[in-house]
Amino acid sequence: MKRRNFIKCCSMALPGAVFANSIGGNVLGSTDNITMPRHRIYTDDYIKKVADSVIFTASKSGASYSDFRLSNFRSQNVSTREQVIQSIRDNENFGFAVRVIIDGTWGFAASSTFSKDEAIRITKIACETAKANKRIQRNKVELVPTGVYNETWSTPIKKNPFEVTIDDKVNFLFGINEKAKNLGADFCNSFIWAVNEWKYFASSEGSYIKQDLNRIWSAFEITVVDKETGNFESRDSFTVPIGKGYEYVEEYDYMKDLEEAVEHTKMKHKAKSVEPAKRDLILDSNHLWLTIHESCGHPTELDRALGYEANYAGTSFMTPDKLNKLQYGSELINMKGDRTQKDGLATRGFDDDGVKTTEWDIIKDGKFVGYQTTREMAKFIGEGASNGCAYADSWDHFPIQRMPNVSLMPGKKKLSLSDLISDTEDGIFIKGSGSWSIDMQRYNFQFTGQEFWEIKNGKIAGMLKDVAYQGNTVDLWNSCDAICDETEYKLGGSFFCGKGEPGQVSPVSHGSSPARFRQVNILNTSKEAGN
């Protein structure tokens, strides 16, 4: 649909509405109330009174613990292809949830109708649910202690993405698509996706916490077609989803990324197909984040290691008997869980258990030393405190253990990416994340990327294609013999990491500097596919 027809179509679909002379006016004219999130209808005093009524009702019903979580989630997505608007979506969900513990058993209930009477009704349902659940409860729920807080926390953004007009966003994306076409791309898709989470948490232990969280993701994908063969090659932008405001869109050099993307995608058509062999690998930050996510982030989730989570991609080979024993990687490998990391997608002041967020060691000098925990899970491994990983992606979901920002610490010795390439005799430099496959214990894996550059005698010798690397988690990380210093450190991440049953998503970042891995098994994906 062309832009002109899109506007015409929207006008026909919304008869009687008064439209502004803009694309946004046409699309959002019927949903103006979203411009003021629903939680702003209520004063802090009223919300606190409702929260207090929940805690009082739960206590009268026999709860030893209760908490109240009021949530307002808003997301806006603008997607384009060439000079065509593919979709504009502006969504909001608002409601509250009540958790209680009675006789060591959880009860949970939620509602999208927010009032004191409804909160009391829902609390009674949560209590009845806990009493019913007791019959099948094997072990009593025990929460490790946490502090009591009366605080407010917000993502430090400079420009609210929801205050930028749809017109401006569409025109920005059209500019990218047009530039891509002018550079020689045959197709270009682009989008801007912004999310705001507002949460109010109160507990029977005395905490009252209000948080306002923002994140944004803006990216493009270009495709170049070889007119003689009909083959096509693509590349995504190297932008990252990030815990910032619209300033990220204004600060990132899209045009430089776009010029490289088109030039390198043209080169892919003529790139040499890789020979299967063991080769040294240098993995760039914009690729390494996904390897960290799959081979360290997920295996060190305690609920997965204990078998509580298995529906989404299995359990974990990093079981508690390996804690403080497993030599996960070389002595260069230090990975931290961190929910306070600057610009991180999982960064916040408090988790959904009301625990103040922190950072901690997961891998220290190559040894596996830490899990991701919640207040309920921490005691299973004898820890006296949670490291703040409880999260629910909606008001009507029970908080579960979700991944913090898990990052590889930069090398301590001065080492740039160009230094690392110069120091490599025969290897492959991989940029960008591609497809991946990992087994149900997060042990054996296979990863591809977006760009593959052959290194010969310390220099980039040309582009390769059909590259995948294969191995297991422990062998890969133990083969790491060099990590660039902090000047090369960058974040990558996922806007939508899936987990749980019913499924929930959560945002998470992974930082790293480029790192080298020795003698990794390289596959030729084309030959593996039988071509």
Side-chain angles (χ1 to χ4, degrees), residues 59-118:
S59 178
K60 293 283 285 182
S61 300
S64 58
Y65 171 85
S66 63
D67 63 37
F68 162 86
R69 177 169 45 85
L70 179 65
S71 305
N72 196 133
F73 285 76
R74 186 180 177 193
S75 70
Q76 186 185 82
N77 175 279
V78 180
S79 297
T80 68
R81 176 171 175 168
E82 283 78 69
Q83 300 304 296
V84 177
I85 298 170
Q86 291 194 302
S87 68
I88 298 176
R89 288 175 288 172
D90 202 347
N91 300 311
E92 180 182 45
N93 75 60
F94 174 79
F96 71 94
V98 175
R99 293 193 305 181
V100 301
I101 297 176
I102 297 178
D103 292 335
T105 306
W106 281 116
F108 175 81
S111 173
S112 60
T113 300
F114 182 58
S115 69
K116 184 178 177 182
D117 288 346
E118 177 71 353

Side-chain angles (χ1 to χ4, degrees), residues 72 94 97 147 151 200-201 204-205 215-216 223 237 250 300 382 435 461 484 490 503 515 520:
N72 196 133
F94 174 79
E151 293 191 26
Y200 183 97
F201 173 91
S204 58
E205 296 168 334
R215 53 187 178 270
I216 195 165
T223 300
S237 62
E250 296 179 335
T300 58
S435 65
C484 291
K490 294 176 183 173
V520 180

